[in-house]
Amino acid sequence: MPDMLQLMKNRHDVRNYSDEPIAPEVVERLQREIDAANEIAGMHIQLVQDDPKGISGFMAAYEQFKNVKNYLVMVGPNTGRLDEQCGYFGEHLVLIAQHLGLNTCWAGLGFNRKKGSFEKRDGERAAIAIAIGHGRNQGASKEMPAASDISNLNADSPEWFRQGIEAVRLAPTVLDEQGIRIDLMDTANPDGRRHVRVIAAEKGHFNYIDFGIAKYHFETIAGTSNFVWV
């Protein structure tokens, strides 16, 4: 099992990609993870290769994407939970890609839903895409939100909560706006697991995708043996 917190620290948004193809064995590993996510979530996530049109055009240029030919497209049944699921399972794939030596970046406005080479069944929606491949650089660290802005972390908080909030501070957002709030409650389940309340930003085109990303970061590092969402 890779060190997930270290992967979160090492991963940075990369928008400029080389022509180096993704190795077949890496594609195979990614596909296994995609298949597992689709089975768990009932989604239709796809890895698209050698398609320069999916993340292209004016808005992709505005977001500074260059030479993106490979991407993950987050597709699923068009329900009220789709955006959160896209964030949650997409971020899992992002960190697996980092572990496999690839670079990634969430592409919201730059994703061309009309020209991309992917399948969308009746009742499904393509919510967002994730650029993936070999970057021309490794990206750079971004300014992280203060723990006090996104949580009630304090000196008496348990270590697992502190680590979870650190992971949320490292979480990427689609438009660089971290709007989530996570608070540790005084209550607990009979089994001792503490209650944790999470609230998404009320506004923002991709706010529930960011919500899913942040929840994945917190769960993965804090550990669901320590808490339950309320």
Side-chain angles (χ1 to χ4, degrees):
M1 183 69 179
D3 183 337
M4 298 300 284
L5 185 58
Q6 192 59 52
L7 287 176
M8 293 172 186
K9 291 177 179 178
N10 292 345
R11 195 218 71 90
H12 306 302
D13 290 344
V14 172
R15 293 178 169 85
N16 190 357
Y17 289 83
S18 74
D19 291 325
E20 181 182 352
I22 303 174
E25 61 272 19
V26 175
V27 171
E28 182 180 355
R29 171 66 190 281
L30 274 174
Q31 192 59 56
R32 289 202 304 268
E33 296 287 343
I34 291 167
D35 292 343
N38 283 336
E39 182 174 353
I40 293 168
M43 295 180 67
H44 191 192
I45 305 166
Q46 298 153 62
L47 172 63
V48 179
Q49 298 182 79
D50 198 25
D51 173 24
K53 294 182 178 180
I55 300 177
S56 64
F58 173 77
M59 293 310 298
Y62 173 77
E63 291 188 299
Q64 299 183 322
F65 284 107
K66 295 180 181 178
N67 201 39
V68 179
K69 296 181 180 179
N70 309 300
Y71 56 95
L72 293 163
V73 58
M74 306 302 294
V75 179
N78 190 18
T79 68
R81 293 196 62 220
L82 178 60
D83 282 1
E84 180 183 338
Q85 288 181 313
C86 287
Y88 189 95
F89 290 97
E91 186 61 10
H92 171 73
L93 296 172
V94 159
L95 293 174
I96 291 296
Q98 181 72 27
H99 177 58
L100 296 173
L102 299 176
N103 303 108
T104 56
C105 187
W106 288 85
L109 303 176
F111 173 36
N112 194 327
R113 292 162 178 79
K114 294 183 179 180
K115 293 185 178 180
S117 301
F118 60 90
E119 181 183 52
K120 187 174 64 172
R121 306 181 187 118
D122 288 345
E124 291 184 336
R125 175 167 61 91
I128 197 166
I130 303 167
I132 188 169
H134 296 281
R136 293 188 182 276
N137 56 62
Q138 294 301 306
S141 299
K142 64 177 182 124
E143 183 178 355
M144 298 193 302
S148 58
D149 289 339
I150 61 170
S151 74
N152 64 348
L153 180 71
N154 59 59
D156 296 326
S157 298
E159 179 64 14
W160 60 263
F161 186 73
R162 188 190 70 78
Q163 290 282 341
I165 295 303
E166 178 66 14
V168 174
R169 294 180 68 220
L170 293 164
T173 58
V174 180
L175 296 179
D176 294 327
E177 297 177 355
Q178 182 58 277
I180 198 169
R181 174 83 187 185
I182 297 179
D183 289 329
L184 180 63
M185 313 301 287
D186 293 331
T187 54
N189 271 13
D191 62 8
R193 289 185 296 165
R194 294 285 296 275
H195 291 166
V196 174
R197 180 179 62 193
V198 57
I199 302 172
E202 293 183 3
K203 297 181 180 180
H205 190 64
F206 299 105
N207 60 327
Y208 275 94
I209 290 177
D210 293 342
F211 182 72
I213 294 170
K215 282 185 72 174
Y216 180 82
H217 271 231
F218 186 86
E219 276 190 17
T220 300
I221 302 304
T224 53
S225 62
N226 292 311
F227 80 97
V228 290
W229 298 114
V230 295

